[in-house]
Amino acid sequence: MEAEYDGGGGGGGGDLESSLLSGDSQLDEHRASRIRRMASNTTSQLAIIGSKLCPIESLDYEYSLTLFLLEIRRSCRLIENDFLKQDWRSREPVHIVQYVILKWTLCFLVGALSGAVGFFNNLAVENIAGVKFVITSNMMLASKYGWAFAVFAGSNFVLLMFASAITIFISPAAAGSGIPEVKAYLNGVDAPQIFSLKTLCVKVVGSIAAVSSSLHVGKAGPLVHTSSCIASILGQGGSRKYNLTWRWLRYFKNDRDRRDLVTCGAGAGIAAAFRAPVGGVLFALECVSSWWRSALLWRAFFTTAVVAVVLRALIDICRSGKCGLFGKGGLIMFDVTSADVSYHLVDLPPVIVLGVIGGMLGSFYNFVLDKVLKVYNFIHKKGHGYKFFLAASVSIFTSCCLFGLPWLASCKPCPAGLSEACPSIGRSGNFKKFQCAPDHYNDLASLFFNTNDDTIRNLYSAGTDNVFQKSSVLLFFVTSYFLGIISYGLAVPSGLFVPVILCGATFGRLVGMLMGSHSTLNHGLFAVLGSASLLAGSMRMTVSVCVIMLELTNNLLLLPLVMLVLLISKTVADAFNSDVYDLIVKLKGLPYLESHAEPYMRHLTVGDVVSGPLQIFNGIEKVSNIFHVLKSTGHHGFPVIDEPPLSDTPVLFGLILRSHLLVLLKKKQFVCTRRVAGSEASIQLSADDFAKRGSGKHEFIEGIELTAEEMNMYVDLHPFTNTSPYTVVETMSLAKALILFREVGLRHLLVIPKSSSRAPVVGILTRHDFMPEHILGLHPFLCRSSWKKLWFRKLNSSDLSLFKK
């Protein structure tokens, strides 16, 4: 992992290791470690976006030049400089009203578009997969089994190759579910192309093709990413690259407002996928958002409510029969469980068993998926041909399983007194004829030879306790469990929600079968509880999953049982590993800041992790010096120092951003002599000139051309410098600095010296400085067995002295 390049580090820390180690070899190693610490960071943080390494940066939540008075009163994350104060004074009350109206308008648009896209996705998948299954079933009715398999496997192969092709060649960032990227973005990580218009289009089309190919992937995760893309594009005023921009969206040209809108978009994605508006809000709060406040809660709730209204309106249209072969408008709402759920104390032991086993299966799912993704990343590095070959192999293997395994099951006669047709020919249902005789059905084919949504609906159905055999359910569970693992990580848009729900439903129904008369719950209710158990075991969500499951099944009576199984499953799974999205974030190399500090951070100071050398500017700086520093480094924040005669002694005036320096050079705001320009320096500039561009889009110093005469001129940085940056003293514990850095949403944290006799600033802390790999790289002795023995024993006062500088 290479160093993130957000600020100029500075100064080495104390000699920690010499207190614990002795000997010449250890001393030499320590000196080498100090040399590494003083080396300049010359590269950017790299992370896997899609299937390739990309440089990433941090977001500027603090530096928003276009904030308005209403939000200014509510927020402490402000950049304070003379230029901004002038901009404040120029604002009128009407601007505040426009700003508030725009926020709610954008939330409405995000909700409406997310609902429409979610409906379109479901409709396309149902019709494409429906045509495929009808043609295959008709061939099997005519006993053309070989042709049936060729059509089934061939259509799956073509669909998946199409999804892979557009993902690989058009937008690699659209691969996967996208939830890890959204989670990292809302934590402050800016990666290129994750919210671009290309990514949005590929995510929609590729998700439809991948899910229709009978791959064990879901569309919920891609819908979260899709809705976040919609929110980001609207928030940044459209797409300048494709000439789709709107000037009326200029008020949102800052990262903090875009972050809030993307949060609403993430909730809208879940609401569109599961028709669960409240669950969508709670998902955004519990799973993806790193910062939350009451005002955001209202906007997220409004956005998901719009999604629910749009879906309901479109569903009413579908009920008139205008949505094609399979599009009945049911989406993924499984209102099929018993209307009068009754349970007693005798039902608690099976529910507890579900929770314990679900937690273990969920953690094992994450463990195996992590290993598989590492193998896939290794394969993807070899080139596009290997990506296609991997996708093709998984497609063929999946088709063979789905078509071949039902032949192992015996045919069963259709039960009497059914409200639906048996066998179900040319339509979805619980009773697939497959190769059976008339009036018989293949229960394993009803599970395998269906869309994932219809299979879940079959498993959740009430009054179907005698429909499936134990052997069929067991075989389907094992197969779907591992198919879900190997299907995720291909170069296609794919989600984890639906495969985990499917595996959990199968696992829950199997437990219900094994319990038999020891429980009064029907097998459909066991399937619902099994889905909740495996979701909590894999994704470690409790409140949001609880509400989503209740909204999915439309049955509030399940609330106590769902809560119990979620709490047990999450507790068990937490004993083994992290949730699946955290594992993927780490695997991708995204520098995600956790809400808690690691134990060793309490005994390190900020001075122990800053690296150098530090790049600083004078309050009035020569153009050539600024140009040289920007071209030779990649730092995004620079301390501004005032020295005599501007001040009696060297003092820290503030912090200026690289993006702001580029604007000054591009607009050529120069003065001929080294003097304070004052208000005249900003007379030709406006707040729009400093507005933040879209995610992953930045200005570059190479695009600025200056003459030799201009190089010898000066720039007065005072009006554009943040005069109140967040600072910490070099002796502050690293744990305390991490909490401040994360909770306030900083990109740069200045480190000032303990003594006034030293330089006014020691260094700059960025997101990278809090990463465990960076800290342990600077202090490798923390990983040694001797250190672990020291760490795990109770520290007394003499031990604590080891950590003092």
Side-chain angles (χ1 to χ4, degrees), residues 253-266:
K253 291 296 183 71
N254 64 83
D255 287 329
R256 192 166 62 88
D257 285 330
R258 289 175 189 164
R259 177 200 67 195
D260 291 349
L261 197 59
V262 169
T263 303
C264 295

Side-chain angles (χ1 to χ4, degrees), residues 259-443:
R259 177 200 67 195
D260 291 349
L261 197 59
V262 169
T263 303
C264 295
I270 290 294
F274 297 121
R275 239 170 72 186
V278 180
V281 176
L282 294 175
F283 170 81
L285 169 62
E286 184 179 12
C287 184
V288 296
S289 179
S290 294
W291 295 281
W292 196 266
R293 62 186 191 279
S294 58
L296 182 57
L297 177 66
W298 280 106
R299 287 201 294 273
F301 185 72
F302 172 73
T303 306
T304 57
V306 172
V307 173
V309 172
V310 170
L311 288 179
R312 174 56 63 184
L314 294 174
I315 287 172
D316 289 340
I317 296 176
C318 271
R319 286 176 176 170
S320 62
K322 300 179 181 179
C323 291
L325 182 63
F326 271 61
K328 301 302 181 183
L331 286 176
I332 195 172
M333 189 170 183
F334 310 116
D335 47 352
V336 289
T337 54
S338 299
D340 52 343
V341 179
S342 60
Y343 41 87
H344 310 280
L345 288 177
V346 70
D347 298 314
L348 292 184
V351 172
I352 294 174
V353 170
L354 269 176
V356 173
I357 299 179
M360 298 174 66
L361 288 174
S363 60
F364 184 69
Y365 190 96
N366 295 355
F367 173 78
V368 178
L369 181 63
D370 183 60
K371 302 300 181 184
V372 170
L373 290 179
K374 290 179 180 177
V375 175
Y376 282 5
N377 286 340
F378 176 76
I379 295 175
H380 288 164
K381 293 177 183 178
K382 294 182 177 294
H384 295 336
Y386 288 88
K387 298 176 187 177
F388 281 113
F389 177 76
L390 180 60
S393 302
V394 173
S395 176
I396 295 173
F397 179 75
T398 301
S399 297
C400 291
C401 290
L402 301 188
F403 192 90
L405 291 178
W407 293 84
L408 301 178
S410 58
C411 297
K412 297 182 64 176
C414 292
L418 292 175
S419 59
E420 61 176 300
C422 180
S424 52
I425 300 176
R427 57 180 294 275
S428 61
N430 289 338
F431 308 98
K432 289 290 183 181
K433 184 176 183 297
F434 210 64
Q435 86 288 7
C436 297
D439 297 327
H440 286 70
Y441 72 98
N442 187 319
D443 64 335

Side-chain angles (χ1 to χ4, degrees), residues 154-168:
S155 58
N156 290 341
F157 182 84
V158 171
L159 286 169
L160 189 59
M161 289 300 100
F162 171 73
S164 296
I166 62 176
T167 303
I168 293 172

